[in-house]
Amino acid sequence: MTTITLFPIVGEFAEDKDAAANIRKTLIEPAIAVGDQVRLDFTGVGLVTQSFVHALMSSVLRAGGEMLENLDFKGCVPGVRGIIETVVQYSLDTGDIDSDFEPEDAVSPKAPSVSRQESPKNGRAKKPSLKSRSIKE
Amino acid sequence: MHDRWVHLHPAAIALTACAAALVGTNGGTFSGEVKPVRSLNYLIRTGLFNYVNLPVPVEIQEHEEAGRFIPITQIRSNDDLKEAIANLVPLLHAPAEVADPIKYVFSEMVRIVLEHSSSPVGAFVAAQYYKESNRIAIGIADAGIGILGHMERFHPVTTHKDAIALALQPGISGTTSRIGGTDFNAGAGLFFTKSIAAFSKNMFLLYSGDAAYRLMVGAGGDASLNPDPNRDKHKFPTGLPNWRGTLIGIDINVQQGAAFADLLDQIRGAYRLDVKHRKDYARKIRFSA
């Protein structure tokens, strides 16, 4: 098991998304790629933002629901635990809405119409109403 | 404006400083008169006139009890934000349970500005602690592309009002049309912030372009949360003076009994309202001591 101790990297308040993405790319994803389990040690971290936890692991989770079985969360105070639970829940809820989506840095903001979702038959993107956004059972 | 009694929410102070900085950046000039209102000393101490280049009266007759406040801070980078957060809590003399939601909101909102606004002057933040009502008021302003300018790249919105309503929905990000966002942006920051304000039964304001969404949750009001902001009790005027960027104002009650963790539980519950999940994935998470 690979243990990643977060406090020395992010401090008591884990809010730096860039740091989170870097941890994911350099530590979490390589470990999972070789079949290792990952323990994220939050000991000493008193507060995290949803954005931090999202950048840390959302894309890992969205690679497949079974990925959650490869992760272990250590030393989480209630507030940290609550954020992790929220991010896990919505990441896996939405993980299979569009399995072939492109990551953000592969999308050109100046040319949104090239995306399949932005180019429906009638030439107008569909407004994501609450009803249309729900995942059907 | 009253000759003596003037009260400004930190959002108004942040917006004024931001607009003044933009004027200065663009080579503009200032004209006007600064009246000796009771709150002038406070406004001077916030640093407002470091940006609003007008002469202030030399003699200030009366001092207003300003309480604890965070002077106007201009944030342009990740390092600026980290420094501002480090300075935040000591200035407020707040215990951790009070400071956590404040630090949270401060960080999330400023990061949204830094990442998405393209503001030429960065973000301007100001905060004030009101002792009698035990609340913290925070204002964050930028002079960037506004919410419509950000959202319209990937979503079919054409008005500031529609863009604001969309941005407040959880899972809608201005960086992709995909529900749930990207690997770096979830589209949840504004929803979380609105939720924190709602649960502490306080004010939340989001102003961009000619529209402003204001959550209306009073002390005895309904604090339930809805993914669709139009279902919350609110006001949503349009036709306001056009502000090219974005202004966020939020009040947080610092004597609320509920712990921040409990608040997060309720936010997660509200998030679920919008997504019919197949499983309770949160129960499968392995936590260890």
Side-chain angles (χ1 to χ4, degrees), chain B residues 18 76 113 116-123 141-145 244:
Chain B
C18 184
R76 293 171 176 266
V113 172
H116 306 306
S117 75
S118 304
S119 172
V121 294
D142 72 69
I145 60 175
R244 55 178 274 175

Side-chain angles (χ1 to χ4, degrees), chain B:
Chain B
M1 187 177 81
H2 195 278
D3 286 343
R4 291 188 66 200
W5 303 99
V6 174
H7 171 75
L8 288 177
H9 190 281
I13 295 172
L15 178 63
T16 305
C18 184
L22 185 65
V23 170
T25 299
N26 293 337
T29 57
F30 296 83
S31 63
E33 177 191 358
V34 180
K35 294 184 177 180
V37 295
R38 280 180 61 89
S39 56
L40 182 57
N41 191 40
Y42 162 64
L43 295 175
I44 292 170
R45 288 194 287 150
T46 64
L48 181 64
F49 295 99
N50 295 338
Y51 304 98
V52 178
N53 189 16
L54 289 175
V56 295
V58 175
E59 290 187 27
I60 299 170
Q61 298 297 324
E62 297 175 79
H63 288 200
E64 181 190 48
E65 175 56 50
R68 297 166 184 153
F69 64 93
I70 297 171
I72 297 165
T73 305
Q74 185 177 15
I75 299 176
R76 293 171 176 266
S77 67
N78 197 17
D79 287 342
D80 287 349
L81 174 57
K82 287 183 176 180
E83 184 179 345
I85 292 170
N87 293 335
L88 178 67
V89 176
L91 281 170
L92 296 169
H93 304 284
E97 62 270 24
V98 170
D100 280 356
I102 298 166
K103 286 160 60 181
Y104 188 99
V105 166
F106 196 91
S107 168
E108 290 284 57
M109 294 301 94
V110 174
R111 281 203 179 277
I112 286 176
V113 172
L114 294 180
E115 289 178 21
H116 306 306
S117 75
S118 304
S119 172
V121 294
F124 280 78
V125 299
Q128 167 86 31
Y129 169 56
Y130 298 97
K131 193 183 340 183
E132 295 207 351
S133 54
N134 268 313
R135 68 190 164 90
I136 298 282
I138 301 172
I140 301 168
D142 72 69
I145 60 175
I147 293 177
L148 176 59
H150 180 59
M151 298 301 290
E152 69 183 359
R153 297 180 306 163
F154 287 101
H155 302 281
V157 289
T158 56
T159 68
H160 295 289
K161 183 174 183 176
D162 286 348
I164 290 171
L166 198 59
L168 284 167
Q169 293 183 24
I172 302 292
S173 168
T175 60
T176 179
S177 59
R178 182 180 186 273
I179 306 303
T182 68
D183 57 353
F184 197 66
N185 287 291
L190 286 169
F191 175 72
F192 267 67
T193 299
K194 182 187 73 138
S195 301
I196 289 170
F199 277 118
S200 64
K201 297 183 178 179
N202 261 307
M203 189 275 287
F204 172 82
L205 170 75
L206 184 57
Y207 180 7
S208 185
D210 73 340
Y213 177 91
R214 182 168 181 171
L215 187 68
M216 304 294 289
V217 183
D222 179 9
S224 64
L225 282 175
N226 298 291
D228 182 352
N230 287 310
R231 293 176 59 196
D232 288 319
K233 187 178 179 184
H234 71 288
K235 289 185 177 178
F236 211 160
T238 57
L240 302 173
N242 190 70
W243 174 244
R244 55 178 274 175
T246 302
L247 172 67
I248 301 166
I250 180 172
D251 288 3
I252 300 173
N253 190 335
V254 298
Q255 62 178 3
Q256 60 176 331
F260 192 46
D262 298 333
L263 190 154
L264 294 172
D265 283 344
Q266 296 192 58
I267 293 175
R268 186 170 68 254
Y271 219 113
R272 287 180 183 180
L273 291 174
D274 191 38
V275 182
K276 295 175 183 173
H277 57 281
R278 298 188 180 96
K279 299 175 183 176
D280 187 356
Y281 294 107
R283 294 179 65 181
K284 293 188 169 186
I285 303 172
R286 290 207 314 265
F287 289 105
S288 58

